[in-house]
Amino acid sequence: MTDASVEIGLRGRDRLGAAIYQHRALSRAGLSERLFAWLFTGLVYPQIWEDPDVDMQAMRLGEGHRIVTIASGGCNILAYLTRSPAAIDAVDLNPAHVALNRMKLAAVRHLPTQRDLYRFFSGEGGSQNVRAYDDMIAPHLDTATRAYWEGRGPTGRRRIEAFNGNFYRKGLLGAFITAGHVVARLHGVDPREIMEAKTLRDQRHFFEDRLRPLFDKPLIRWMTRRKESLFGLGIPPAQYDALREGGEMAAVLSARLEKLACGFPLRRNYFAWQAFARRYPEPQQGALPAYLEAENHAALRDNVSRVTIHHANFVELLARKPAGSVDRYVLLDAQDWMTDNQLDTLWSEITRTATPGARVIFRTAARESLLPGRLREDILARWRYEAEESATHTQNDRSAIYGGFHLYVLKDA
């Protein structure tokens, strides 16, 4: 590992620790938090699991808007570029996600054709991907990003070589989905078979007959009672209880998987393709993430220079911005991790930097918004919760992972 990658890894652990740790190090909860923080400094999300189409509808995203968002796997940022916003500032505490996002932006800029971009990020793999990285992407990367991708992973191979195969099987999320397939097959079910369904009714029958019964199996019920079992979904200990909502985690996961399997035609839902088929569809088979759709390539190339990736947290970035300078905020599910004091600090900066009519979107593991009763009343009073619209967007979110999607709009002064 190079000096640059060591430094970014250490800084990543320090910042993640500050965001996650809520208990003493030697307590059981504290040990769990520290294990999660250690795992989270590596690649977690090879793709995001928030539906950017829903994001853009909720934000009413258009030309000239200035966005601050959490980067995650970066599919969201590239989708937003199709609406030609004025600027996107994307933050992330995870150094692997920072490196992935910066590499994606360089790929959009420097791979010659849309087909080259599709081949690189569709999961098709092939040695030409690494050659394309070496020849066309690497020369344009900053030192830390290049050090990450050319550094050696646990297998001794350069990290960029993950793109020789199916990159979406990498990271904590990829390992989690793989483990889910293994456990299902141990119980005689191959989740890939749902891809043979021709209609929503077929999808429903497969779920009811093959997938739902898995969550009554003793092994799966035992596993999902452990908070560590969901680290692969990027769910920290503090978020586990909110997701469970006082019930059995197996039942909650069954309900979320039901929406993923049955809520939308497979042709429309590339999240279901990743979960069940472990790949994206071919262009003729179904919808792709917006940045891989051929009709969006020109907009991506035209707008890619409007994105800046920051290895920082949301508050750090906002504190450097002048008042009234941001139109849209995308918090993903980060608030599920936060204490009340952290929520107050975050929303104080959001309120200070927001333009008239600014929109904030976020997701929660539980169904309800977490702000009432926790955020300071004088801050919350500045914002209007769009309950009906939030419920609609929750229903329309194809990823089906979260309990609630929430939209807040700054009230008139």
mmCIF file with all atom_site columns, all heavy atoms in Angstrom, residues 264-284:
data_model
loop_
_atom_site.group_PDB
_atom_site.id
_atom_site.type_symbol
_atom_site.label_atom_id
_atom_site.label_alt_id
_atom_site.label_comp_id
_atom_site.label_asym_id
_atom_site.label_entity_id
_atom_site.label_seq_id
_atom_site.pdbx_PDB_ins_code
_atom_site.Cartn_x
_atom_site.Cartn_y
_atom_site.Cartn_z
_atom_site.occupancy
_atom_site.B_iso_or_equiv
_atom_site.pdbx_formal_charge
_atom_site.auth_seq_id
_atom_site.auth_comp_id
_atom_site.auth_asym_id
_atom_site.auth_atom_id
_atom_site.pdbx_PDB_model_num
ATOM 1   N N   . PHE A 1 264 ? -42.476 -4.019  -9.009  1.00 0.00 ? 264 PHE A N   1
ATOM 2   C CA  . PHE A 1 264 ? -42.283 -3.413  -10.316 1.00 0.00 ? 264 PHE A CA  1
ATOM 3   C C   . PHE A 1 264 ? -41.946 -4.514  -11.325 1.00 0.00 ? 264 PHE A C   1
ATOM 4   O O   . PHE A 1 264 ? -41.322 -5.521  -10.966 1.00 0.00 ? 264 PHE A O   1
ATOM 5   C CB  . PHE A 1 264 ? -41.123 -2.403  -10.290 1.00 0.00 ? 264 PHE A CB  1
ATOM 6   C CG  . PHE A 1 264 ? -41.239 -1.387  -9.192  1.00 0.00 ? 264 PHE A CG  1
ATOM 7   C CD1 . PHE A 1 264 ? -40.680 -1.635  -7.935  1.00 0.00 ? 264 PHE A CD1 1
ATOM 8   C CD2 . PHE A 1 264 ? -41.909 -0.190  -9.395  1.00 0.00 ? 264 PHE A CD2 1
ATOM 9   C CE1 . PHE A 1 264 ? -40.789 -0.714  -6.913  1.00 0.00 ? 264 PHE A CE1 1
ATOM 10  C CE2 . PHE A 1 264 ? -42.016 0.740   -8.377  1.00 0.00 ? 264 PHE A CE2 1
ATOM 11  C CZ  . PHE A 1 264 ? -41.462 0.482   -7.131  1.00 0.00 ? 264 PHE A CZ  1
ATOM 12  N N   . PRO A 1 265 ? -42.331 -4.349  -12.581 1.00 0.00 ? 265 PRO A N   1
ATOM 13  C CA  . PRO A 1 265 ? -41.886 -5.308  -13.595 1.00 0.00 ? 265 PRO A CA  1
ATOM 14  C C   . PRO A 1 265 ? -40.368 -5.373  -13.635 1.00 0.00 ? 265 PRO A C   1
ATOM 15  O O   . PRO A 1 265 ? -39.684 -4.340  -13.521 1.00 0.00 ? 265 PRO A O   1
ATOM 16  C CB  . PRO A 1 265 ? -42.462 -4.733  -14.904 1.00 0.00 ? 265 PRO A CB  1
ATOM 17  C CG  . PRO A 1 265 ? -43.587 -3.850  -14.478 1.00 0.00 ? 265 PRO A CG  1
ATOM 18  C CD  . PRO A 1 265 ? -43.197 -3.282  -13.148 1.00 0.00 ? 265 PRO A CD  1
ATOM 19  N N   . LEU A 1 266 ? -39.839 -6.567  -13.780 1.00 0.00 ? 266 LEU A N   1
ATOM 20  C CA  . LEU A 1 266 ? -38.389 -6.727  -13.779 1.00 0.00 ? 266 LEU A CA  1
ATOM 21  C C   . LEU A 1 266 ? -37.726 -5.875  -14.858 1.00 0.00 ? 266 LEU A C   1
ATOM 22  O O   . LEU A 1 266 ? -36.602 -5.388  -14.673 1.00 0.00 ? 266 LEU A O   1
ATOM 23  C CB  . LEU A 1 266 ? -38.027 -8.197  -13.975 1.00 0.00 ? 266 LEU A CB  1
ATOM 24  C CG  . LEU A 1 266 ? -38.405 -9.129  -12.823 1.00 0.00 ? 266 LEU A CG  1
ATOM 25  C CD1 . LEU A 1 266 ? -38.132 -10.579 -13.212 1.00 0.00 ? 266 LEU A CD1 1
ATOM 26  C CD2 . LEU A 1 266 ? -37.643 -8.762  -11.555 1.00 0.00 ? 266 LEU A CD2 1
ATOM 27  N N   . ARG A 1 267 ? -38.408 -5.687  -15.969 1.00 0.00 ? 267 ARG A N   1
ATOM 28  C CA  . ARG A 1 267 ? -37.829 -4.905  -17.059 1.00 0.00 ? 267 ARG A CA  1
ATOM 29  C C   . ARG A 1 267 ? -37.561 -3.458  -16.637 1.00 0.00 ? 267 ARG A C   1
ATOM 30  O O   . ARG A 1 267 ? -36.674 -2.802  -17.178 1.00 0.00 ? 267 ARG A O   1
ATOM 31  C CB  . ARG A 1 267 ? -38.767 -4.942  -18.274 1.00 0.00 ? 267 ARG A CB  1
ATOM 32  C CG  . ARG A 1 267 ? -38.200 -4.227  -19.485 1.00 0.00 ? 267 ARG A CG  1
ATOM 33  C CD  . ARG A 1 267 ? -39.040 -4.445  -20.734 1.00 0.00 ? 267 ARG A CD  1
ATOM 34  N NE  . ARG A 1 267 ? -38.423 -3.755  -21.856 1.00 0.00 ? 267 ARG A NE  1
ATOM 35  C CZ  . ARG A 1 267 ? -37.419 -4.218  -22.582 1.00 0.00 ? 267 ARG A CZ  1
ATOM 36  N NH1 . ARG A 1 267 ? -36.925 -5.407  -22.301 1.00 0.00 ? 267 ARG A NH1 1
ATOM 37  N NH2 . ARG A 1 267 ? -36.903 -3.525  -23.573 1.00 0.00 ? 267 ARG A NH2 1
ATOM 38  N N   . ARG A 1 268 ? -38.314 -2.965  -15.648 1.00 0.00 ? 268 ARG A N   1
ATOM 39  C CA  . ARG A 1 268 ? -38.161 -1.578  -15.198 1.00 0.00 ? 268 ARG A CA  1
ATOM 40  C C   . ARG A 1 268 ? -37.192 -1.435  -14.033 1.00 0.00 ? 268 ARG A C   1
ATOM 41  O O   . ARG A 1 268 ? -36.851 -0.320  -13.656 1.00 0.00 ? 268 ARG A O   1
ATOM 42  C CB  . ARG A 1 268 ? -39.520 -1.009  -14.782 1.00 0.00 ? 268 ARG A CB  1
ATOM 43  C CG  . ARG A 1 268 ? -40.469 -0.674  -15.899 1.00 0.00 ? 268 ARG A CG  1
ATOM 44  C CD  . ARG A 1 268 ? -41.760 -0.116  -15.318 1.00 0.00 ? 268 ARG A CD  1
ATOM 45  N NE  . ARG A 1 268 ? -41.489 0.909   -14.299 1.00 0.00 ? 268 ARG A NE  1
ATOM 46  C CZ  . ARG A 1 268 ? -42.279 1.161   -13.257 1.00 0.00 ? 268 ARG A CZ  1
ATOM 47  N NH1 . ARG A 1 268 ? -43.384 0.455   -13.084 1.00 0.00 ? 268 ARG A NH1 1
ATOM 48  N NH2 . ARG A 1 268 ? -41.969 2.108   -12.393 1.00 0.00 ? 268 ARG A NH2 1
ATOM 49  N N   . ASN A 1 269 ? -36.774 -2.532  -13.427 1.00 0.00 ? 269 ASN A N   1
ATOM 50  C CA  . ASN A 1 269 ? -36.099 -2.435  -12.128 1.00 0.00 ? 269 ASN A CA  1
ATOM 51  C C   . ASN A 1 269 ? -34.702 -3.045  -12.163 1.00 0.00 ? 269 ASN A C   1
ATOM 52  O O   . ASN A 1 269 ? -34.530 -4.238  -11.919 1.00 0.00 ? 269 ASN A O   1
ATOM 53  C CB  . ASN A 1 269 ? -36.951 -3.102  -11.049 1.00 0.00 ? 269 ASN A CB  1
ATOM 54  C CG  . ASN A 1 269 ? -36.457 -2.760  -9.654  1.00 0.00 ? 269 ASN A CG  1
ATOM 55  O OD1 . ASN A 1 269 ? -35.469 -2.052  -9.478  1.00 0.00 ? 269 ASN A OD1 1
ATOM 56  N ND2 . ASN A 1 269 ? -37.149 -3.269  -8.657  1.00 0.00 ? 269 ASN A ND2 1
ATOM 57  N N   . TYR A 1 270 ? -33.709 -2.207  -12.421 1.00 0.00 ? 270 TYR A N   1
ATOM 58  C CA  . TYR A 1 270 ? -32.343 -2.725  -12.453 1.00 0.00 ? 270 TYR A CA  1
ATOM 59  C C   . TYR A 1 270 ? -31.833 -3.088  -11.061 1.00 0.00 ? 270 TYR A C   1
ATOM 60  O O   . TYR A 1 270 ? -30.870 -3.852  -10.937 1.00 0.00 ? 270 TYR A O   1
ATOM 61  C CB  . TYR A 1 270 ? -31.391 -1.749  -13.145 1.00 0.00 ? 270 TYR A CB  1
ATOM 62  C CG  . TYR A 1 270 ? -31.261 -0.377  -12.524 1.00 0.00 ? 270 TYR A CG  1
ATOM 63  C CD1 . TYR A 1 270 ? -30.439 -0.163  -11.417 1.00 0.00 ? 270 TYR A CD1 1
ATOM 64  C CD2 . TYR A 1 270 ? -31.923 0.724   -13.048 1.00 0.00 ? 270 TYR A CD2 1
ATOM 65  C CE1 . TYR A 1 270 ? -30.288 1.090   -10.867 1.00 0.00 ? 270 TYR A CE1 1
ATOM 66  C CE2 . TYR A 1 270 ? -31.789 1.986   -12.494 1.00 0.00 ? 270 TYR A CE2 1
ATOM 67  C CZ  . TYR A 1 270 ? -30.965 2.163   -11.404 1.00 0.00 ? 270 TYR A CZ  1
ATOM 68  O OH  . TYR A 1 270 ? -30.821 3.422   -10.856 1.00 0.00 ? 270 TYR A OH  1
ATOM 69  N N   . PHE A 1 271 ? -32.467 -2.583  -10.001 1.00 0.00 ? 271 PHE A N   1
ATOM 70  C CA  . PHE A 1 271 ? -32.098 -3.020  -8.654  1.00 0.00 ? 271 PHE A CA  1
ATOM 71  C C   . PHE A 1 271 ? -32.436 -4.502  -8.467  1.00 0.00 ? 271 PHE A C   1
ATOM 72  O O   . PHE A 1 271 ? -31.671 -5.255  -7.863  1.00 0.00 ? 271 PHE A O   1
ATOM 73  C CB  . PHE A 1 271 ? -32.824 -2.179  -7.597  1.00 0.00 ? 271 PHE A CB  1
ATOM 74  C CG  . PHE A 1 271 ? -32.432 -0.734  -7.595  1.00 0.00 ? 271 PHE A CG  1
ATOM 75  C CD1 . PHE A 1 271 ? -33.225 0.219   -8.233  1.00 0.00 ? 271 PHE A CD1 1
ATOM 76  C CD2 . PHE A 1 271 ? -31.274 -0.311  -6.968  1.00 0.00 ? 271 PHE A CD2 1
ATOM 77  C CE1 . PHE A 1 271 ? -32.873 1.552   -8.227  1.00 0.00 ? 271 PHE A CE1 1
ATOM 78  C CE2 . PHE A 1 271 ? -30.906 1.021   -6.963  1.00 0.00 ? 271 PHE A CE2 1
ATOM 79  C CZ  . PHE A 1 271 ? -31.704 1.952   -7.601  1.00 0.00 ? 271 PHE A CZ  1
ATOM 80  N N   . ALA A 1 272 ? -33.588 -4.922  -8.970  1.00 0.00 ? 272 ALA A N   1
ATOM 81  C CA  . ALA A 1 272 ? -33.952 -6.334  -8.883  1.00 0.00 ? 272 ALA A CA  1
ATOM 82  C C   . ALA A 1 272 ? -32.990 -7.194  -9.701  1.00 0.00 ? 272 ALA A C   1
ATOM 83  O O   . ALA A 1 272 ? -32.650 -8.310  -9.287  1.00 0.00 ? 272 ALA A O   1
ATOM 84  C CB  . ALA A 1 272 ? -35.391 -6.537  -9.366  1.00 0.00 ? 272 ALA A CB  1
ATOM 85  N N   . TRP A 1 273 ? -32.559 -6.697  -10.844 1.00 0.00 ? 273 TRP A N   1
ATOM 86  C CA  . TRP A 1 273 ? -31.574 -7.444  -11.634 1.00 0.00 ? 273 TRP A CA  1
ATOM 87  C C   . TRP A 1 273 ? -30.299 -7.679  -10.821 1.00 0.00 ? 273 TRP A C   1
ATOM 88  O O   . TRP A 1 273 ? -29.741 -8.778  -10.837 1.00 0.00 ? 273 TRP A O   1
ATOM 89  C CB  . TRP A 1 273 ? -31.256 -6.692  -12.926 1.00 0.00 ? 273 TRP A CB  1
ATOM 90  C CG  . TRP A 1 273 ? -32.244 -6.945  -14.017 1.00 0.00 ? 273 TRP A CG  1
ATOM 91  C CD1 . TRP A 1 273 ? -33.459 -6.344  -14.187 1.00 0.00 ? 273 TRP A CD1 1
ATOM 92  C CD2 . TRP A 1 273 ? -32.115 -7.881  -15.097 1.00 0.00 ? 273 TRP A CD2 1
ATOM 93  N NE1 . TRP A 1 273 ? -34.080 -6.848  -15.302 1.00 0.00 ? 273 TRP A NE1 1
ATOM 94  C CE2 . TRP A 1 273 ? -33.281 -7.785  -15.887 1.00 0.00 ? 273 TRP A CE2 1
ATOM 95  C CE3 . TRP A 1 273 ? -31.121 -8.770  -15.475 1.00 0.00 ? 273 TRP A CE3 1
ATOM 96  C CZ2 . TRP A 1 273 ? -33.479 -8.557  -17.020 1.00 0.00 ? 273 TRP A CZ2 1
ATOM 97  C CZ3 . TRP A 1 273 ? -31.306 -9.546  -16.612 1.00 0.00 ? 273 TRP A CZ3 1
ATOM 98  C CH2 . TRP A 1 273 ? -32.475 -9.439  -17.365 1.00 0.00 ? 273 TRP A CH2 1
ATOM 99  N N   . GLN A 1 274 ? -29.814 -6.650  -10.137 1.00 0.00 ? 274 GLN A N   1
ATOM 100 C CA  . GLN A 1 274 ? -28.597 -6.824  -9.350  1.00 0.00 ? 274 GLN A CA  1
ATOM 101 C C   . GLN A 1 274 ? -28.815 -7.786  -8.194  1.00 0.00 ? 274 GLN A C   1
ATOM 102 O O   . GLN A 1 274 ? -27.938 -8.587  -7.858  1.00 0.00 ? 274 GLN A O   1
ATOM 103 C CB  . GLN A 1 274 ? -28.102 -5.474  -8.826  1.00 0.00 ? 274 GLN A CB  1
ATOM 104 C CG  . GLN A 1 274 ? -27.390 -4.627  -9.857  1.00 0.00 ? 274 GLN A CG  1
ATOM 105 C CD  . GLN A 1 274 ? -26.029 -5.193  -10.244 1.00 0.00 ? 274 GLN A CD  1
ATOM 106 O OE1 . GLN A 1 274 ? -25.650 -6.299  -9.857  1.00 0.00 ? 274 GLN A OE1 1
ATOM 107 N NE2 . GLN A 1 274 ? -25.287 -4.440  -11.037 1.00 0.00 ? 274 GLN A NE2 1
ATOM 108 N N   . ALA A 1 275 ? -29.982 -7.701  -7.545  1.00 0.00 ? 275 ALA A N   1
ATOM 109 C CA  . ALA A 1 275 ? -30.233 -8.562  -6.390  1.00 0.00 ? 275 ALA A CA  1
ATOM 110 C C   . ALA A 1 275 ? -30.411 -10.023 -6.791  1.00 0.00 ? 275 ALA A C   1
ATOM 111 O O   . ALA A 1 275 ? -29.893 -10.922 -6.124  1.00 0.00 ? 275 ALA A O   1
ATOM 112 C CB  . ALA A 1 275 ? -31.483 -8.081  -5.647  1.00 0.00 ? 275 ALA A CB  1
ATOM 113 N N   . PHE A 1 276 ? -31.129 -10.275 -7.880  1.00 0.00 ? 276 PHE A N   1
ATOM 114 C CA  . PHE A 1 276 ? -31.485 -11.647 -8.236  1.00 0.00 ? 276 PHE A CA  1
ATOM 115 C C   . PHE A 1 276 ? -30.605 -12.237 -9.342  1.00 0.00 ? 276 PHE A C   1
ATOM 116 O O   . PHE A 1 276 ? -30.214 -13.400 -9.254  1.00 0.00 ? 276 PHE A O   1
ATOM 117 C CB  . PHE A 1 276 ? -32.952 -11.710 -8.647  1.00 0.00 ? 276 PHE A CB  1
ATOM 118 C CG  . PHE A 1 276 ? -33.898 -11.288 -7.566  1.00 0.00 ? 276 PHE A CG  1
ATOM 119 C CD1 . PHE A 1 276 ? -34.767 -10.223 -7.749  1.00 0.00 ? 276 PHE A CD1 1
ATOM 120 C CD2 . PHE A 1 276 ? -33.926 -11.942 -6.350  1.00 0.00 ? 276 PHE A CD2 1
ATOM 121 C CE1 . PHE A 1 276 ? -35.645 -9.830  -6.756  1.00 0.00 ? 276 PHE A CE1 1
ATOM 122 C CE2 . PHE A 1 276 ? -34.796 -11.565 -5.337  1.00 0.00 ? 276 PHE A CE2 1
ATOM 123 C CZ  . PHE A 1 276 ? -35.656 -10.489 -5.546  1.00 0.00 ? 276 PHE A CZ  1
ATOM 124 N N   . ALA A 1 277 ? -30.306 -11.460 -10.379 1.00 0.00 ? 277 ALA A N   1
ATOM 125 C CA  . ALA A 1 277 ? -29.491 -11.966 -11.481 1.00 0.00 ? 277 ALA A CA  1
ATOM 126 C C   . ALA A 1 277 ? -28.014 -11.671 -11.291 1.00 0.00 ? 277 ALA A C   1
ATOM 127 O O   . ALA A 1 277 ? -27.179 -12.211 -12.021 1.00 0.00 ? 277 ALA A O   1
ATOM 128 C CB  . ALA A 1 277 ? -29.963 -11.363 -12.805 1.00 0.00 ? 277 ALA A CB  1
ATOM 129 N N   . ARG A 1 278 ? -27.681 -10.785 -10.345 1.00 0.00 ? 278 ARG A N   1
ATOM 130 C CA  . ARG A 1 278 ? -26.312 -10.386 -10.031 1.00 0.00 ? 278 ARG A CA  1
ATOM 131 C C   . ARG A 1 278 ? -25.640 -9.630  -11.177 1.00 0.00 ? 278 ARG A C   1
ATOM 132 O O   . ARG A 1 278 ? -24.427 -9.677  -11.346 1.00 0.00 ? 278 ARG A O   1
ATOM 133 C CB  . ARG A 1 278 ? -25.440 -11.592 -9.629  1.00 0.00 ? 278 ARG A CB  1
ATOM 134 C CG  . ARG A 1 278 ? -25.949 -12.403 -8.472  1.00 0.00 ? 278 ARG A CG  1
ATOM 135 C CD  . ARG A 1 278 ? -26.275 -11.577 -7.246  1.00 0.00 ? 278 ARG A CD  1
ATOM 136 N NE  . ARG A 1 278 ? -25.366 -10.489 -6.969  1.00 0.00 ? 278 ARG A NE  1
ATOM 137 C CZ  . ARG A 1 278 ? -24.184 -10.633 -6.381  1.00 0.00 ? 278 ARG A CZ  1
ATOM 138 N NH1 . ARG A 1 278 ? -23.789 -11.815 -5.975  1.00 0.00 ? 278 ARG A NH1 1
ATOM 139 N NH2 . ARG A 1 278 ? -23.417 -9.597  -6.151  1.00 0.00 ? 278 ARG A NH2 1
ATOM 140 N N   . ARG A 1 279 ? -26.414 -8.936  -11.981 1.00 0.00 ? 279 ARG A N   1
ATOM 141 C CA  . ARG A 1 279 ? -25.876 -8.133  -13.074 1.00 0.00 ? 279 ARG A CA  1
ATOM 142 C C   . ARG A 1 279 ? -26.937 -7.142  -13.513 1.00 0.00 ? 279 ARG A C   1
ATOM 143 O O   . ARG A 1 279 ? -28.092 -7.220  -13.095 1.00 0.00 ? 279 ARG A O   1
ATOM 144 C CB  . ARG A 1 279 ? -25.479 -9.012  -14.259 1.00 0.00 ? 279 ARG A CB  1
ATOM 145 C CG  . ARG A 1 279 ? -26.646 -9.746  -14.918 1.00 0.00 ? 279 ARG A CG  1
ATOM 146 C CD  . ARG A 1 279 ? -26.188 -10.599 -16.079 1.00 0.00 ? 279 ARG A CD  1
ATOM 147 N NE  . ARG A 1 279 ? -27.284 -11.341 -16.693 1.00 0.00 ? 279 ARG A NE  1
ATOM 148 C CZ  . ARG A 1 279 ? -28.057 -10.872 -17.672 1.00 0.00 ? 279 ARG A CZ  1
ATOM 149 N NH1 . ARG A 1 279 ? -27.871 -9.643  -18.158 1.00 0.00 ? 279 ARG A NH1 1
ATOM 150 N NH2 . ARG A 1 279 ? -29.020 -11.617 -18.181 1.00 0.00 ? 279 ARG A NH2 1
ATOM 151 N N   . TYR A 1 280 ? -26.531 -6.204  -14.363 1.00 0.00 ? 280 TYR A N   1
ATOM 152 C CA  . TYR A 1 280 ? -27.500 -5.336  -15.017 1.00 0.00 ? 280 TYR A CA  1
ATOM 153 C C   . TYR A 1 280 ? -28.062 -6.030  -16.260 1.00 0.00 ? 280 TYR A C   1
ATOM 154 O O   . TYR A 1 280 ? -27.400 -6.902  -16.848 1.00 0.00 ? 280 TYR A O   1
ATOM 155 C CB  . TYR A 1 280 ? -26.844 -4.021  -15.441 1.00 0.00 ? 280 TYR A CB  1
ATOM 156 C CG  . TYR A 1 280 ? -26.553 -3.072  -14.303 1.00 0.00 ? 280 TYR A CG  1
ATOM 157 C CD1 . TYR A 1 280 ? -25.360 -2.358  -14.260 1.00 0.00 ? 280 TYR A CD1 1
ATOM 158 C CD2 . TYR A 1 280 ? -27.476 -2.863  -13.280 1.00 0.00 ? 280 TYR A CD2 1
ATOM 159 C CE1 . TYR A 1 280 ? -25.080 -1.471  -13.230 1.00 0.00 ? 280 TYR A CE1 1
ATOM 160 C CE2 . TYR A 1 280 ? -27.214 -1.985  -12.252 1.00 0.00 ? 280 TYR A CE2 1
ATOM 161 C CZ  . TYR A 1 280 ? -26.006 -1.287  -12.228 1.00 0.00 ? 280 TYR A CZ  1
ATOM 162 O OH  . TYR A 1 280 ? -25.745 -0.417  -11.196 1.00 0.00 ? 280 TYR A OH  1
ATOM 163 N N   . PRO A 1 281 ? -29.247 -5.646  -16.690 1.00 0.00 ? 281 PRO A N   1
ATOM 164 C CA  . PRO A 1 281 ? -29.763 -6.203  -17.948 1.00 0.00 ? 281 PRO A CA  1
ATOM 165 C C   . PRO A 1 281 ? -28.971 -5.681  -19.137 1.00 0.00 ? 281 PRO A C   1
ATOM 166 O O   . PRO A 1 281 ? -28.318 -4.626  -19.064 1.00 0.00 ? 281 PRO A O   1
ATOM 167 C CB  . PRO A 1 281 ? -31.206 -5.690  -17.986 1.00 0.00 ? 281 PRO A CB  1
ATOM 168 C CG  . PRO A 1 281 ? -31.193 -4.445  -17.167 1.00 0.00 ? 281 PRO A CG  1
ATOM 169 C CD  . PRO A 1 281 ? -30.192 -4.685  -16.080 1.00 0.00 ? 281 PRO A CD  1
ATOM 170 N N   . GLU A 1 282 ? -29.004 -6.430  -20.212 1.00 0.00 ? 282 GLU A N   1
ATOM 171 C CA  . GLU A 1 282 ? -28.538 -5.881  -21.483 1.00 0.00 ? 282 GLU A CA  1
ATOM 172 C C   . GLU A 1 282 ? -29.491 -4.758  -21.892 1.00 0.00 ? 282 GLU A C   1
ATOM 173 O O   . GLU A 1 282 ? -30.668 -4.758  -21.470 1.00 0.00 ? 282 GLU A O   1
ATOM 174 C CB  . GLU A 1 282 ? -28.532 -6.973  -22.555 1.00 0.00 ? 282 GLU A CB  1
ATOM 175 C CG  . GLU A 1 282 ? -27.536 -8.096  -22.300 1.00 0.00 ? 282 GLU A CG  1
ATOM 176 C CD  . GLU A 1 282 ? -26.101 -7.660  -22.501 1.00 0.00 ? 282 GLU A CD  1
ATOM 177 O OE1 . GLU A 1 282 ? -25.890 -6.660  -23.233 1.00 0.00 ? 282 GLU A OE1 1
ATOM 178 O OE2 . GLU A 1 282 ? -25.199 -8.301  -21.937 1.00 0.00 ? 282 GLU A OE2 1
ATOM 179 N N   . PRO A 1 283 ? -29.031 -3.800  -22.699 1.00 0.00 ? 283 PRO A N   1
ATOM 180 C CA  . PRO A 1 283 ? -29.909 -2.678  -23.058 1.00 0.00 ? 283 PRO A CA  1
ATOM 181 C C   . PRO A 1 283 ? -31.265 -3.107  -23.608 1.00 0.00 ? 283 PRO A C   1
ATOM 182 O O   . PRO A 1 283 ? -32.277 -2.457  -23.342 1.00 0.00 ? 283 PRO A O   1
ATOM 183 C CB  . PRO A 1 283 ? -29.074 -1.911  -24.092 1.00 0.00 ? 283 PRO A CB  1
ATOM 184 C CG  . PRO A 1 283 ? -27.656 -2.193  -23.698 1.00 0.00 ? 283 PRO A CG  1
ATOM 185 C CD  . PRO A 1 283 ? -27.660 -3.623  -23.223 1.00 0.00 ? 283 PRO A CD  1
ATOM 186 N N   . GLN A 1 284 ? -31.312 -4.210  -24.346 1.00 0.00 ? 284 GLN A N   1
ATOM 187 C CA  . GLN A 1 284 ? -32.584 -4.644  -24.918 1.00 0.00 ? 284 GLN A CA  1
ATOM 188 C C   . GLN A 1 284 ? -33.449 -5.392  -23.906 1.00 0.00 ? 284 GLN A C   1
ATOM 189 O O   . GLN A 1 284 ? -34.629 -5.634  -24.141 1.00 0.00 ? 284 GLN A O   1
ATOM 190 C CB  . GLN A 1 284 ? -32.346 -5.538  -26.145 1.00 0.00 ? 284 GLN A CB  1
ATOM 191 C CG  . GLN A 1 284 ? -31.742 -6.901  -25.854 1.00 0.00 ? 284 GLN A CG  1
ATOM 192 C CD  . GLN A 1 284 ? -30.215 -6.868  -25.752 1.00 0.00 ? 284 GLN A CD  1
ATOM 193 O OE1 . GLN A 1 284 ? -29.616 -5.795  -25.713 1.00 0.00 ? 284 GLN A OE1 1
ATOM 194 N NE2 . GLN A 1 284 ? -29.608 -8.050  -25.746 1.00 0.00 ? 284 GLN A NE2 1
#
